[in-house]
């Protein structure tokens, strides 16, 4: 694992942090939004904010798929899970997300619904193979990273003729969420308090392994924000911050790629074709925190609709209110920090999450709680 | 959810599967998205699927570029180093 240890090396990290300290101009602020929850997690885990000069601030973005799924979609999943003969399979992170009135899949399971945790979409296909008398529904969530695995699982089920397999598709698109964030900060009529000021962006790395980095060019062209596609190790994150600082200092505005070792310009052609063949855009999709965004999520194309659980079980969407006083929506927009929520670390902890941001390891509240709270308290 | 990890390909299996090692743990994963991956290569592994191959030469180039920055580096406080090491 040679290159992995090198990208975690403390000396290298300090060296880059020192370069940021030298190059960041004291007379200006650098507000850099890390889009991905994976970056948020790395920033807290390795205490990277502490290595940065005071005028380089990280703003946490909405790139946590568990966090952005609205309560209404979770409610649909529960309604499907409660139908007779159904086994609902999903990623472990989804189990504890609070939905309407705080009800989670875990609770639905305790009340008798057959809900299983799987590591992979392939495991859901295996469940269908092993339980021919049951209906297996895979609750699929995630950005462009988890979409190709879902597509491969559906293709596999079709090849095996598994008529008892379907997917409740909740795949969402990264550029759409980024555009929503940038658009809101651009909206001149918005209340001042609603504005998130961002000077530059750390772009998603693993999403970009699939999509390439062209999808982020709009951020530089339409919004004038430099983007650096950043790997997830501490050295990657710091080097990417340095690259953003340099772009801002030199008044450049481009999409740069720090994560060259895994991201090519065009991404993964096989995965892109697979996604394009199987999915099309929904007209609009509601995001927790960001509201309804046009063209921001995927559904199965008509040729693949036999595998669409929404159609098979005929469940319709309704918008639901999120937990009262949970600040996840503002946190996902980068407007508030977890400590601004009065439930944080009191009623809401990773053991008793009241909002989605406290559930996933990539959620800001969970990252803050696990790695930052004590430092925050001591300061 | 989005946390993906580097995994080393140990052995290619039939039907787009491969035996990989992740931090010393062996498991069979799907490699249909990375048909070019060969034993010894590292892939970005996510929810049981290899999403892309890590380019070893580029990995080294990125690190080499950082070395040139190193020549200019300021000395850092020892406690900051200790904190970073403790976290990693
Ligand atoms: S601490 Fe809990 S309740 Fe508060 S914003 Fe975070 S997830 Fe929501």
């Amino acid at each position: 694992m040679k290159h992995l240890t090198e990208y975690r090396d403390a000396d290298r990290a300090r060296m880059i942090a020192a370069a940021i300290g030298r190059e960041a101009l004291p007379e200006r602020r650098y507000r850099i939004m890390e889009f991905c929850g994976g970056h948020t997690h790395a920033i807290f885990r390795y205490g990277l904010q502490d290595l940065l000069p005071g005028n380089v601030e990280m703003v946490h973005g909405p790139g946590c798929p568990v966090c952005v799924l609205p309560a209404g979609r979770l409610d649909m999943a529960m309604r499907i899970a409660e139908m007779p003969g159904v086994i609902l399979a999903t990623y472990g992170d989804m189990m504890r997300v609070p939905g309407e009135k705080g009800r989670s899949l875990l609770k639905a399971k305790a009340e008798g619904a057959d809900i299983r945790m799987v590591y992979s979409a392939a495991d859901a296909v295996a469940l269908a193979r092993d339980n021919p008398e049951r209906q297996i529904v895979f609750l699929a969530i995630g950005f462009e990273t988890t979409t190709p695995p879902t597509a491969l699982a559906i293709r596999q089920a079709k090849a095996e003729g598994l008529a008892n397999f379907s997917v409740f598709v909740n795949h969402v698109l990264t550029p759409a969420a980024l555009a929503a964030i940038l658009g809101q900060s651009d909206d001149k009529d918005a209340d001042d308090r609603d504005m998130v000021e961002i000077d530059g962006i750390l772009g998603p790395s693993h999403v970009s392994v699939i999509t390439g980095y062209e999808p982020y060019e709009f951020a530089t062209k339409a919004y004038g924000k430099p983007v650096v596609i950043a790997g997830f190790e501490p050295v990657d994150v710091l080097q990417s911050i340095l690259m953003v600082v340099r772009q801002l200092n030199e008044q450049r505005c481009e999409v740069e790629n720090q994560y060259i070792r895994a991201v090519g310009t065009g991404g993964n052609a096989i995965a892109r074709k697979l996604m394009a063949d199987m999915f099309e855009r929904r007209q609009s999709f509601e995001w927790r925190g960001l509201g309804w965004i046009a063209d921001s999520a995927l559904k199965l194309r008509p040729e693949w609709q036999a595998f669409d659980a929404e159609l098979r079980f005929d469940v319709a969407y309704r918008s639901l209110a999120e937990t009262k006083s949970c600040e996840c929506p503002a946190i996902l927009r980068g407007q508030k920090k977890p400590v601004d929520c009065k439930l944080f670390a009191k009623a809401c902890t990773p053991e008793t999450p009241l909002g989605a941001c406290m559930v996933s390891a990539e959620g800001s509240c969970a990252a803050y709680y696990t790695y930052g709270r004590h430092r925050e308290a001591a300061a | 959810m989005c946390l993906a990890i580097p995994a080393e390909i140990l052995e290619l299996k039939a039907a787009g599967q491969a035996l990989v090692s992740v931090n010393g743990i062996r498991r069979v994963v799907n490699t249909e998205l990375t048909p070019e991956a060969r034993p010894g290569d590292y892939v970005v592994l996510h929810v049981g699927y290899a999403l892309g191959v890590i380019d070893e030469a580029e990995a080294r180039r990125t690190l080499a570029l950082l070395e040139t920055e190193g020549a200019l580096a300021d000395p850092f406080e020892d406690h900051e180093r200790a904190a970073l090491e403790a976290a990693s």
Side-chain angles (χ1 to χ4, degrees):
Chain A
M1 253 328 182
K2 191 155 173 288
H3 44 250
L4 186 57
T5 47
E6 286 169 342
Y7 282 100
R8 283 186 187 163
D9 180 67
D11 281 331
R12 272 198 188 81
R14 291 187 311 129
M15 183 184 91
I16 305 166
I20 297 171
R22 279 194 311 274
E23 294 185 31
L25 305 171
E27 67 272 18
R28 65 158 295 172
R29 284 169 85 191
Y30 300 82
R31 281 152 304 195
I32 304 175
M33 172 174 270
E34 85 275 3
F35 180 86
C36 277
H39 289 137
T40 308
H41 185 254
I43 287 164
F44 282 103
R45 174 166 180 194
Y46 297 101
L48 302 184
Q49 180 73 66
D50 293 350
L51 300 178
L52 298 174
N55 58 337
V56 178
E57 293 162 39
M58 303 311 293
V59 180
H60 315 307
C64 161
V66 174
C67 305
V68 294
L69 191 76
R73 297 294 295 183
L74 203 57
D75 179 64
M76 285 169 86
M78 288 186 208
R79 276 185 278 150
I80 295 173
E82 283 161 353
M83 291 183 190
V86 167
I87 299 175
L88 185 84
T90 193
Y91 297 123
D93 275 4
M94 286 308 300
M95 297 296 285
R96 290 150 49 93
V97 180
E100 194 186 24
K101 302 201 175 75
R103 190 161 181 257
S104 64
L105 289 172
L106 205 60
K107 223 171 190 169
K109 182 179 164 84
E111 290 163 11
D114 194 346
I115 301 175
R116 316 250 180 118
M117 246 161 41
V118 289
Y119 162 68
S120 156
D123 298 344
V125 177
L127 274 175
R129 202 180 290 132
D130 299 343
N131 298 276
E133 73 299 347
R134 305 284 298 273
Q135 281 288 331
I136 312 304
V137 181
F138 178 55
L139 163 53
I141 64 150
F143 290 94
E144 294 86 339
T145 40
T146 42
T147 311
T150 299
L152 285 174
I154 293 173
R155 203 172 71 176
Q156 180 69 27
K158 185 174 186 194
E160 293 184 35
L162 297 172
N164 63 331
F165 179 79
S166 62
V167 177
F168 178 39
V169 179
N170 294 279
H171 288 300
V172 288
L173 301 168
T174 308
L178 191 56
I181 297 263
L182 293 175
Q184 128 202 309
S185 65
D186 223 32
D187 183 356
K188 301 284 178 282
D189 299 328
D191 188 314
D192 268 2
R193 285 166 309 165
D194 286 346
M195 308 275 276
V196 205
E197 289 188 54
I198 303 167
D199 301 306
I201 296 155
L202 296 193
S205 47
H206 293 135
V207 165
S208 305
V209 170
I210 301 293
T211 64
Y213 52 87
E214 281 154 350
Y216 304 102
E217 271 170 5
F218 78 92
T220 60
K221 294 198 171 108
Y223 296 100
K225 310 291 179 194
V227 177
V228 175
I229 305 298
F232 278 143
E233 299 301 335
V235 165
D236 292 318
V237 174
L238 288 168
Q239 187 185 15
S240 303
I241 293 169
L242 178 61
M243 289 165 78
V244 173
V245 166
R246 284 183 179 162
Q247 282 206 45
L248 290 167
N249 285 352
E250 293 161 16
Q251 289 170 3
R252 281 185 295 123
C253 182
E254 305 160 16
V255 180
E256 286 184 299
N257 181 13
Q258 181 275 336
Y259 197 45
I260 301 178
R261 63 186 186 278
V263 176
T265 323
N268 183 322
I270 298 174
R272 287 177 68 168
K273 177 160 189 327
L274 191 62
M275 287 195 288
D277 288 348
M278 198 176 283
F279 296 101
E280 61 188 15
R281 289 175 183 223
R282 290 175 196 263
Q283 234 171 27
S284 190
F285 193 80
E286 191 175 23
W287 296 55
R288 196 183 289 242
L290 303 178
W292 289 92
I293 308 176
D295 295 322
S296 67
L298 299 175
K299 63 176 180 188
L300 288 164
R301 286 188 181 280
E303 314 85 277
W304 293 92
Q305 272 173 2
F307 293 94
D308 191 334
E310 279 173 74
L311 300 175
R312 187 177 294 190
F313 300 96
D314 194 25
V315 282
Y317 184 72
R318 53 191 178 110
S319 278
L320 293 174
E322 306 293 345
T323 313
K324 248 178 81 200
S325 3
C326 169
E327 298 280 9
C328 278
I331 290 169
L332 288 165
R333 291 194 297 267
Q335 292 161 347
K336 286 197 174 163
K337 295 216 150 60
V339 283
D340 298 330
C341 171
K342 51 181 192 289
L343 302 174
F344 177 76
K346 297 191 182 82
C348 186
T349 68
E351 288 73 46
T352 55
L354 296 177
C357 302
M358 192 56 100
V359 176
S360 162
E362 291 137 79
S364 289
C365 295
Y368 235 81
Y369 185 91
T370 311
Y371 301 111
R373 184 172 68 115
H374 309 298
R375 200 170 48 234
E376 210 68 37
Chain B
M1 265 303 308
C2 273
L3 299 178
I5 26 171
E8 186 185 0
I9 306 265
L10 299 175
E11 191 187 321
L12 298 178
K13 304 241 172 220
Q17 311 272 308
L19 178 69
V20 302
S21 161
V22 186
N23 286 328
I25 298 163
R26 289 161 174 241
R27 67 188 325 159
V28 174
V29 303
N30 183 301
T31 50
E32 285 178 83
L33 301 174
T34 58
E36 72 277 28
R38 293 289 168 265
D41 286 345
Y42 281 84
V43 292
V44 174
L45 180 69
H46 182 54
V47 296
Y49 292 77
L51 300 185
V53 180
I54 296 173
D55 184 330
E56 190 70 42
E58 289 292 0
R60 283 189 210 295
R61 233 195 308 277
T62 306
L63 289 168
L65 193 78
L66 288 175
E67 299 303 327
T68 59
E69 310 263 5
L72 305 162
D74 280 340
F76 234 77
E77 296 294 331
D78 274 350
H79 69 270
E80 284 174 340
R81 177 179 186 177
L84 197 68
E85 273 165 0
S88 55

